[in-house]
Amino acid sequence: LYVFALDSNTGNLHIYARDDVSGVLTHINLVAVAADAFDMRMSIDGTQLLIVGRISSGIRIYSFNAGALVQIGTHALGANPQEFIVSPNDANVYCTNYADNTITSFLRSTITGALTVANGSPFTSSNAGSSPTALAITSTGDYLLAINDTTNLLSVFDARVVLPAPLLSGIFDPTQTTAAGSINVNGTFTIKGA
């Protein structure tokens, strides 16, 4: 088991091995990944680490094996990327682009890990939303949710298609600490407590 710590001030990634019995962390590697690195995700299969750079507006793909990282690719993103997510089946990667009100969608090969920009990507975060900041995906990978910062809209997309199709947008009240919602089988999203 490995633990990663990204220092966004230096662009360094610290890799630790965790002892399964004692839980003790041992520093095993230090990798300079990018001066503007700010967010990272491990692929679900544990073979790749994806790192986003905010200034360069790019996503870097690294192969990961026994504590060693090797950069194997880079892809452009939209302006001022904020957050990204890997789908539960490892077949898609999505990233919010705050400044141009879009979400970039990638298809990910579950065999090689290669990313391909989805046809029609990036797509608008919603008809009424702007400045997407946060993403979530349902455990089945069927629905992608995006919070739009300047409009407080929650956008719901059907992620069962290659380019996620917008289903609806609704008011999201960030002052409600109990805000929750549910998605039924036809994709209708209901915000509870709003």
Side-chain angles (χ1 to χ4, degrees):
L1 182 62
Y2 297 93
V3 176
F4 301 90
L6 180 61
D7 183 343
S8 60
N9 291 320
T10 64
N12 289 326
L13 179 70
H14 297 268
I15 304 173
Y16 298 85
R18 181 181 172 273
D19 184 277
D20 291 340
V21 177
S22 68
V24 171
L25 296 178
T26 303
H27 191 269
I28 60 168
N29 203 351
L30 174 66
V31 181
V33 290
D36 67 338
F38 77 94
D39 197 6
M40 65 180 172
R41 297 282 185 277
M42 178 63 78
S43 61
I44 304 303
D45 63 13
T47 63
Q48 290 183 332
L49 187 67
L50 304 136
I51 298 177
V52 167
R54 184 166 285 158
I55 297 166
S56 63
S57 295
I59 186 169
R60 294 168 183 88
I61 304 105
Y62 294 85
S63 66
F64 178 74
N65 187 7
L69 282 181
V70 176
Q71 186 170 347
I72 58 173
T74 302
H75 287 279
L77 296 170
N80 195 8
Q82 294 291 304
E83 183 178 14
F84 74 108
I85 194 165
V86 178
S87 65
N89 66 358
D90 244 2
N92 300 89
V93 176
Y94 306 101
C95 184
T96 60
N97 305 306
Y98 187 88
D100 59 11
N101 303 322
T102 62
I103 298 172
T104 302
S105 176
F106 295 97
L107 305 175
R108 182 179 179 273
S109 168
T110 54
I111 297 169
T112 66
L115 295 183
T116 304
V117 177
N119 191 23
S121 181
F123 59 93
T124 304
S125 63
S126 82
N127 291 337
S130 62
S131 307
T133 56
L135 288 173
I137 195 163
T138 57
S139 61
T140 60
D142 291 342
Y143 300 100
L144 179 69
L145 295 84
I147 294 291
N148 295 286
D149 183 46
T150 57
T151 56
N152 288 336
L153 290 178
L154 173 67
S155 301
V156 181
F157 300 89
D158 185 345
R160 296 169 294 185
V161 294
V162 172
L163 189 65
L167 293 174
L168 61 99
S169 289
I171 299 296
F172 173 75
D173 184 352
T175 63
Q176 288 190 336
T177 58
T178 59
S182 62
I183 299 174
N184 67 23
V185 293
N186 67 2
T188 306
F189 184 75
T190 304
I191 298 175
K192 296 179 181 180

